[in-house]
Amino acid sequence: NYVRWMLETVDNQLMNHQLKRLEIQFKSEGKWKDELNGEAQKISDDTYLHRLCREKQTLAIAKTVWR
C-alpha cells in the first residue's frame, strides 16, 4: 500500500493530526520482495512532499496537507 508506506515517513507527532488532503501520482509498480525506501520533506507547518522509491526509480510521489 503506497499511501501507508509514504505516511510512515512523517513524524509520529503528525499522525495525531487529521489528514486534510492527499495528492498522489503513481509512476511505476513495485514488485513482490522489492526493497522500497520512503522519504518525506516538510515544506511548511502542515504540508509534506513524499517519495517512494525502489533503488533509484521513483514509484510514487505525493503531497499531504494536515490540520
Side-chain angles (χ1 to χ4, degrees), residues 3-58:
V3 174
R4 181 176 45 113
W5 293 327
M6 287 180 164
L7 294 180
E8 287 176 357
T9 64
V10 297
D11 184 8
N12 285 337
Q13 290 180 341
L14 188 61
M15 296 307 287
N16 294 328
H17 293 79
Q18 183 177 9
L19 182 60
K20 180 179 176 182
R21 185 171 68 226
L22 169 68
E23 299 171 14
I24 190 164
Q25 202 172 35
F26 296 99
K27 303 283 191 180
S28 186
E29 183 179 5
K31 307 287 186 204
W32 185 64
K33 290 194 176 184
D34 280 350
E35 189 170 318
L36 305 180
N37 296 309
E39 55 187 50
Q41 177 184 3
K42 184 176 182 177
I43 59 172
S44 72
D45 285 341
D46 64 350
T47 306
Y48 285 77
L49 296 178
H50 307 264
R51 187 166 77 120
L52 187 64
C53 302
R54 173 186 52 228
E55 296 179 8
K56 294 182 181 181
Q57 182 181 17
T58 298

